Amino acid sequence: MDLKSLIRDIPDFPKPGILFRDITTLLRDRQGLRYTIDLFADKCSEANFQIDYVLGMESRGFIFGTPLAYKLGAGFIPVRKKGKLPAAVHSVEYELEYGTDCLELHQDALNQDSRVLIVDDLIATGGTASATAKLVQQIGCELVGFGFIIELRDLQGRKLLPDVPIISLVEY
């Protein structure tokens, strides 16, 4: 199946000069969604990922991370923006183009030495994925790899990530 044919391009969103890769058209296609999750799980199995948890970053990482965790027999942990989780959290601040942001996960979500896979819909500059990796490593977990539906290669987000396997299903 050609996943690119299910991803809509929206020019000048969210601002002029940006070509937005919209996954909502992939999500609404029942065969495309099933194929995406199955392909993701197959690639994780081929990479021999032995994981305890899939961490999905807010918010589109939740969409793909939860069914992937199910297929891999792992738990799912949401990584949220600051102030969205009700219990005590671990947090990490990271740089944005103009300012900073913060990601959090519950303190009781992971045990030290848990093996985790970080999942999101897209990697562009790598800032969010890199921050999530730092959060995982601060806790003392083993980062097994990353998984993305889309990778924007020209933005070189991989350069910010730790040296672990990276799965991308579609590259632009």
Side-chain angles (χ1 to χ4, degrees):
M1 179 174 283
D2 179 16
L3 289 179
K4 279 188 177 179
S5 71
L6 299 175
I7 298 168
R8 175 173 45 191
D9 293 342
I10 308 226
D12 299 320
F13 183 82
K15 60 185 184 178
I18 302 291
L19 180 60
F20 187 80
R21 308 295 183 172
D22 179 21
I23 61 161
T24 62
T25 47
L26 168 64
L27 293 171
R28 79 173 180 210
D29 186 287
R30 68 185 89 188
Q31 292 159 332
L33 178 59
R34 180 180 298 256
Y35 177 81
T36 300
I37 299 302
D38 289 344
L39 179 62
F40 222 158
D42 289 346
K43 293 213 175 264
C44 289
S45 294
E46 289 168 13
N48 200 28
F49 286 168
Q50 302 295 314
I51 62 168
D52 301 308
Y53 301 101
V54 172
L55 272 66
M57 295 172 290
E58 187 166 340
S59 64
R60 292 177 301 266
F62 301 175
I63 295 169
F64 296 103
T66 302
L68 181 61
Y70 172 79
K71 292 274 295 184
L72 298 176
F76 176 78
I77 310 286
V79 177
R80 304 288 318 260
K81 299 284 182 161
K82 186 174 182 139
K84 301 283 187 178
L85 293 171
V89 297
H90 293 290
S91 63
V92 63
E93 280 198 17
Y94 64 105
E95 297 291 323
L96 298 172
E97 188 176 354
Y98 299 105
T100 61
D101 208 346
C102 181
L103 294 173
E104 298 178 333
L105 64 84
H106 279 135
Q107 286 182 3
D108 61 357
L110 296 170
N111 297 319
Q112 275 191 326
D113 302 322
S114 294
R115 298 177 315 260
V116 302
L117 171 67
I118 296 173
V119 170
D120 206 357
D121 69 319
L122 179 135
I123 180 169
T125 61
T128 305
S130 175
T132 304
K134 287 176 185 163
L135 190 57
V136 165
Q137 291 166 333
Q138 284 174 5
I139 296 168
C141 297
E142 178 185 347
L143 177 57
V144 174
F146 291 92
F148 305 101
I149 304 302
I150 300 169
E151 181 173 1
L152 303 178
R153 296 290 292 211
D154 288 347
L155 296 178
Q156 301 178 2
R158 284 178 180 245
K159 287 185 175 181
L160 287 181
L161 303 182
D163 187 22
V164 296
I166 300 170
I167 294 170
S168 299
L169 302 184
V170 176
E171 296 180 358
Y172 290 95

Coordinates of all heavy atoms in Angstrom, one line a residue, residues 4 16 19 26 38-40 46 48 57 76 83 86 88 117 162 167:
K4 N 1.9 7.3 1.2 CA 2.0 8.7 0.8 C 0.7 9.1 0.1 O 0.3 10.3 0.3 CB 3.2 8.9 -0.1 CG 4.5 9.1 0.6 CD 5.6 9.5 -0.4 CE 6.9 9.7 0.3 NZ 8.0 10.1 -0.6
P16 N 2.6 30.7 6.0 CA 3.1 30.7 4.7 C 4.5 30.1 4.6 O 5.4 30.3 5.4 CB 3.1 32.2 4.3 CG 2.1 32.8 5.2 CD 2.2 32.0 6.5
L19 N 4.7 23.4 4.2 CA 3.9 22.3 3.6 C 3.6 21.3 4.6 O 4.4 20.6 5.1 CB 4.6 21.7 2.4 CG 3.8 20.6 1.7 CD1 2.5 21.1 1.1 CD2 4.7 19.9 0.6
L26 N -5.2 9.7 6.3 CA -4.7 8.3 6.6 C -5.5 7.7 7.6 O -6.0 6.5 7.5 CB -3.2 8.3 7.0 CG -2.6 7.1 7.5 CD1 -2.7 5.9 6.5 CD2 -1.2 7.3 8.0
D38 N -0.1 -2.3 11.3 CA 0.5 -3.7 11.1 C 1.9 -3.5 10.6 O 2.8 -4.3 11.0 CB -0.4 -4.5 10.1 CG -1.7 -4.9 10.7 OD1 -1.8 -4.9 11.9 OD2 -2.6 -5.3 9.9
L39 N 2.2 -2.6 9.6 CA 3.5 -2.4 9.1 C 4.5 -1.9 10.2 O 5.6 -2.4 10.3 CB 3.5 -1.4 8.0 CG 4.8 -1.0 7.3 CD1 5.5 -2.2 6.7 CD2 4.6 0.1 6.3
F40 N 4.0 -1.0 11.0 CA 4.8 -0.5 12.2 C 5.2 -1.6 13.1 O 6.3 -1.8 13.5 CB 3.9 0.5 12.9 CG 4.6 1.7 13.4 CD1 3.9 2.9 13.7 CD2 6.0 1.8 13.6 CE1 4.5 4.0 14.1 CE2 6.6 2.9 14.0 CZ 5.9 4.1 14.3
E46 N 10.9 -7.0 13.2 CA 12.1 -7.2 12.3 C 13.3 -6.6 13.0 O 14.4 -7.1 12.9 CB 11.9 -6.6 11.0 CG 10.9 -7.3 10.1 CD 10.6 -6.5 8.8 OE1 11.2 -5.5 8.5 OE2 9.6 -6.9 8.2
N48 N 13.7 -6.5 16.1 CA 13.9 -7.2 17.3 C 13.8 -6.4 18.5 O 14.5 -6.6 19.5 CB 15.2 -8.0 17.3 CG 15.2 -9.2 18.3 OD1 14.1 -9.7 18.6 ND2 16.3 -9.5 18.8
M57 N 4.0 10.7 22.2 CA 4.0 12.1 22.5 C 2.7 12.8 22.1 O 2.2 12.5 21.0 CB 5.2 12.7 21.8 CG 6.5 12.2 22.3 SD 8.0 12.7 21.5 CE 7.8 11.9 19.9
F76 N 1.3 1.3 27.2 CA 1.4 2.6 26.6 C 1.5 3.7 27.6 O 0.7 3.7 28.6 CB 0.1 2.8 25.7 CG 0.2 4.2 25.1 CD1 1.0 4.5 24.0 CD2 -0.6 5.2 25.6 CE1 1.1 5.7 23.5 CE2 -0.5 6.5 25.1 CZ 0.3 6.8 24.0
G83 N 1.3 20.4 32.7 CA 0.1 20.7 33.3 C -1.1 19.8 32.9 O -2.2 20.1 33.4
P86 N -2.4 14.5 36.1 CA -3.0 14.8 37.4 C -2.1 14.4 38.6 O -2.2 15.0 39.7 CB -4.3 14.0 37.5 CG -4.0 12.9 36.6 CD -3.2 13.4 35.5
A88 N 2.0 13.3 40.3 CA 3.4 13.8 40.3 C 4.0 13.4 39.0 O 3.8 12.2 38.5 CB 4.1 13.2 41.5
L117 N 10.1 2.3 23.7 CA 10.1 2.7 22.3 C 9.3 4.0 22.2 O 8.2 4.1 22.7 CB 9.4 1.7 21.4 CG 9.1 2.1 19.9 CD1 10.4 2.3 19.2 CD2 8.2 1.1 19.3
P162 N 19.5 10.2 20.1 CA 20.5 9.3 20.5 C 20.7 8.2 19.5 O 19.8 8.0 18.6 CB 19.9 8.7 21.8 CG 18.8 9.5 22.2 CD 18.3 10.3 21.0
I167 N 12.7 3.9 13.1 CA 11.9 3.4 12.1 C 11.0 4.5 11.5 O 10.4 5.3 12.3 CB 10.9 2.3 12.6 CG1 11.7 1.1 13.0 CG2 9.8 1.9 11.6 CD1 10.9 0.0 13.8

